[in-house]
Amino acid sequence: MTRHLLTLDSLGREGILANLHLAGDLKAAGGMARDAIPGGRLGLIFDKPSTRTRVSFEAAAWGLGMLPITLRPDELQLGRGETVADTARVLSRYLTALAIRTFDQARVEELARYATIPIINALTDDHHPCQALADVMTLREEFGEFVGLRVAFIGDGNNVCHSLIQAAGYLGFTLAISTPEGYEPKAEIVEAARANCRINGGSIELGHDVRAAAKGADAIYTDVWASMGQETERQERARIFAGYRVDAELMALAASRAIFLHCLPAHRGDEVTDEVMDGPQSRVWDEAENRWYTEQALVYTLVTGKERLGG
Ligand code: CP
Ligand code: NVA
């Protein structure tokens, strides 16, 4: 059966840990799994903008010996009425794997239903699993293990938050989420992760008090207040989220060893201050770098079925 990455559920605990192991090996070895998939072709469809995901996947493809083929919606017949199913069938004849960034999670799932190659979710309105892999890699580099960790997520219960919730459930760390009322993460994602926490440890806490979430945290994570596709809500959200800014005062409530994480792009001055972004606790550039290793490991494993280079 073709393996995909639709959400972190596609990997589960063992798949995430295997990805981190291989990504760590790649990083230690200088970054590239050179020619692990010689002659491979990695398609990349972006229905929304991207800096990190596009460049890290293209670099990952190159590192693996694959040709990256990046496509924008106005370059595809999909936008002119060709069905997702037919697109999946055709692209499967040319490509070795296909990553897609789009709006509706159902579109990624439909592609996967008809494709005979691995489909990778490169962000939807509901999930950002590739980001969460780099996030947990960064946490592990800093703290060594997940059990006992407390991560605070401050802001919108969005795609990045959802994937982090799934990661917490599989890896057994505590995620304390603080959002304005009405901007909580989806209940079914929270409930499924809580069931996993009962097996793996940790917990998912929900609340509206940023200080309570940040208190004693080992990491404070935030993301933009208005995600891609929510541009028209930007002003309203700026008002509603005004109390959900990560600043030095909030960081001071966290544990003394606490780090700051952000998937980026950041809207400096909104969800995070310059002082925190550029301060000594910030690990955001390492986090962004780790996208490259986790994505190489991901594509390698999905395409070859192997969890170790040459293994
Ligand atoms: N974090 C992330 O996915 O960034 P891009 O939108 O730049 O790809
Ligand atoms: N929540 C953000 C993440 C960007 C990487 C968005 O969807 O725009």
Side-chain angles (χ1 to χ4, degrees):
M1 208 179 83
T2 307
R3 295 184 60 192
H4 306 289
L5 177 69
L6 306 181
T7 76
L8 277 192
D9 285 339
S10 308
L11 295 179
R13 176 180 167 83
E14 296 312 319
I16 296 170
L17 290 173
N19 178 273
L20 296 187
H21 197 117
L22 181 50
D25 285 352
L26 288 171
K27 189 170 184 175
M32 285 192 296
R34 219 186 258 293
D35 289 338
I37 311 177
R41 287 88 53 207
L42 177 66
L44 296 155
I45 297 177
F46 284 94
D47 289 341
K48 296 179 178 180
S50 168
T51 297
R52 280 143 289 271
T53 306
R54 174 177 174 175
V55 178
S56 60
F57 263 114
E58 289 192 357
W62 188 78
L64 290 162
M66 301 174 82
L67 171 72
I69 303 173
T70 298
L71 298 156
R72 295 167 44 88
D74 59 349
E75 295 168 336
L76 288 167
Q77 298 288 7
L78 248 180
R80 295 183 58 252
E82 187 166 21
T83 67
V84 172
D86 290 352
T87 304
R89 291 178 180 116
V90 171
L91 291 182
S92 294
R93 301 290 177 105
Y94 305 132
L95 300 174
T96 314
L98 173 63
I100 177 164
R101 165 169 290 194
T102 192
F103 294 84
D104 195 351
Q105 177 71 20
R107 196 172 176 90
V108 180
E109 288 169 10
E110 193 180 354
L111 264 181
R113 203 155 43 247
Y114 294 99
T116 55
I117 55 171
I119 299 297
I120 297 168
N121 179 348
L123 181 148
T124 61
D125 290 348
D126 289 334
H127 291 274
H128 198 358
C130 297
Q131 180 64 50
L133 291 174
D135 299 341
V136 294
M137 180 173 180
T138 312
L139 284 173
R140 185 139 94 171
E141 284 177 339
E142 192 70 31
F143 301 112
E145 57 183 350
F146 297 106
V147 172
L149 275 191
R150 178 181 173 84
V151 178
F153 185 94
I154 308 294
D156 189 19
N158 61 14
N159 44 10
V160 167
C161 181
H162 288 154
S163 290
L164 213 52
I165 290 170
Q166 292 192 323
Y170 285 121
L171 299 175
F173 60 88
T174 290
L175 187 62
I177 301 162
S178 179
T179 69
E181 264 177 72
Y183 294 88
E184 296 84 359
K186 289 191 170 177
E188 65 268 25
I189 295 174
V190 172
E191 286 318 313
R194 282 181 171 157
N196 285 329
C197 286
R198 284 193 278 278
I199 301 165
N200 299 318
S203 61
I204 312 295
E205 298 174 10
L206 297 182
H208 306 300
D209 180 346
V210 286
R211 298 170 68 86
K215 201 160 187 313
D218 300 299
I220 296 193
Y221 198 122
T222 192
D223 185 13
V224 291
W225 293 337
S227 286
M228 290 180 278
Q230 296 171 335
E231 286 75 11
T232 57
E233 297 174 39
R234 216 165 153 183
Q235 271 195 325
E236 186 194 1
R237 282 173 173 260
R239 183 176 51 74
I240 293 168
F241 283 79
Y244 291 79
R245 177 173 298 120
V246 179
D247 57 15
E249 199 189 322
L250 197 71
M251 288 301 297
L253 295 175
S256 55
R257 65 172 188 167
I259 60 170
F260 172 72
L261 297 174
H262 191 312
C263 58
L264 307 179
H267 287 170
R268 289 167 176 257
D270 283 354
E271 77 275 3
V272 61
T273 60
D274 285 334
E275 195 183 357
V276 171
M277 270 287 283
D278 302 326
Q281 290 166 290
S282 176
R283 295 291 180 278
V284 297
W285 316 123
D286 298 319
E287 186 184 4
E289 180 185 338
N290 287 339
R291 297 287 305 271
W292 188 40
Y293 312 117
T294 48
E295 284 160 11
Q296 275 187 83
L298 176 75
V299 173
Y300 177 77
T301 299
L302 291 180
V303 168
T304 65
K306 297 180 195 168
E307 292 179 344
R308 289 282 185 281
L309 283 181

